[in-house]
Amino acid sequence: SQQGEEDPQALSIQEGENATMNCSYKTSINNLQWYRQNSGRGLVHLILIRSNEREKHSGRLRVTLDTSKKSSSLLITASRAADTASYFCAINRDDKIIFGKGTRLHILP
Amino acid sequence: GAGVSQTPSNKVTEKGKYVELRCDPISGHTALYWYRQSLGQGPEFLIYFQGTGAADDSGLPNDRFFAVRPEGSVSTLKIQRTERGDSAVYLCASSPQDRGTQYFGPGTRLTVL
């Protein structure tokens, strides 16, 4: 399968803690993207990291990419209740974007 | 500005019926994607348009599924002889160029009874 696979499948942490989600894939990629999906709603793009980049930041988000290990991680610092959602990595190869099954993140008050 | 819109938001149909799902992309976006998402799963790629042509339709599960984008803007996903297994949320996304950030619509929830 070409799809990215997120790990863990589910994660519960206390508000204020950092959350780390991982994504592994099997093929070469053009770029890798992370998306968030709140229950019952559309996906929201968070960040795109190109295959020649190793790390990107956006606000409280930090994404790393290790093409040698075919893996990426998404770090959310100082988590908030509003961060409760499902997070998906999506690998972009040729003209196709393939999503993983996602990590369901729950921020506890 | 206006985002990607999809209509209807919900569609309930009976097994064997024909349905059409519509996607209005962000104006000027040349790339348009259709996905299907089942409960607890990530979006599953169906088809990708660049302009009016289907650049990649390898994700369409069988010949009951067909999509068009005749003028390079609005797209319609058509499902013939619907089956209960077709029940899912159908998502549309557009992008200003291929391989870039995708902007998703809210989806159409299809229920086949």
Side-chain angles (χ1 to χ4, degrees):
Chain A
S1 168
Q2 299 179 58
Q3 72 183 73
E5 296 186 1
E6 293 89 344
D7 167 56
Q9 292 185 347
L11 179 62
S12 293
I13 61 172
Q14 294 294 136
E15 190 170 13
E17 293 181 342
N18 296 341
T20 299
M21 290 159 273
N22 302 296
C23 172
S24 60
Y25 57 93
K26 297 181 180 179
T27 66
S28 61
I29 61 172
N30 300 113
N31 62 59
L32 186 146
Q33 303 175 31
W34 285 91
Y35 288 81
R36 183 185 70 218
Q37 184 177 41
N38 291 89
S39 179
R41 305 186 70 175
L43 283 86
V44 174
H45 178 263
L46 296 177
I47 201 163
L48 180 154
I49 186 165
R50 302 187 191 286
S51 60
N52 61 353
E53 297 177 311
R54 292 297 168 259
E55 185 171 314
K56 286 191 80 169
H57 296 254
S58 177
R60 293 184 297 113
L61 306 180
R62 181 170 79 96
V63 168
T64 62
L65 178 65
D66 187 334
T67 53
S68 66
K69 294 182 179 179
K70 292 186 169 55
S71 67
S72 173
S73 67
L74 170 67
L75 169 67
I76 303 174
T77 60
S79 62
R80 305 169 181 170
D83 295 331
T84 294
S86 291
Y87 292 82
F88 296 90
C89 71
I91 61 170
N92 187 320
R93 181 168 185 257
D94 300 326
D95 295 323
K96 190 179 301 184
I97 291 188
I98 307 296
F99 285 82
K101 294 183 179 180
T103 291
R104 283 161 288 287
L105 176 64
H106 187 206
I107 307 301
L108 304 169
Chain B
V4 178
S5 63
Q6 293 186 245
T7 54
S9 56
N10 284 282
K11 176 69 177 178
V12 180
T13 190
E14 293 180 343
K15 180 175 178 294
K17 298 291 187 181
Y18 168 82
V19 297
E20 289 190 353
L21 312 179
R22 176 186 169 108
C23 173
D24 281 84
I26 293 172
S27 178
H29 281 194
T30 58
L32 185 147
Y33 302 79
W34 282 100
Y35 297 87
R36 177 170 69 175
Q37 187 176 25
S38 300
L39 190 64
Q41 302 293 314
E44 172 193 11
F45 171 80
L46 296 178
I47 186 169
Y48 155 61
F49 287 91
Q50 184 60 248
T52 60
D56 185 345
D57 65 356
S58 62
L60 295 177
N62 52 59
D63 61 6
R64 294 187 298 106
F65 289 74
F66 189 71
V68 296
R69 195 186 185 199
E71 298 179 358
S73 178
V74 171
S75 177
T76 304
L77 178 65
K78 307 180 181 188
I79 310 175
Q80 298 177 322
R81 304 183 304 280
T82 52
E83 300 177 355
R84 293 193 179 88
D86 299 334
S87 295
V89 175
Y90 288 80
L91 297 165
C92 174
S94 70
S95 176
Q97 70 278 330
D98 65 347
R99 306 180 188 183
T101 298
Q102 296 188 17
Y103 299 84
F104 279 81
T108 294
R109 182 176 299 278
L110 175 67
T111 302
V112 182
L113 301 176

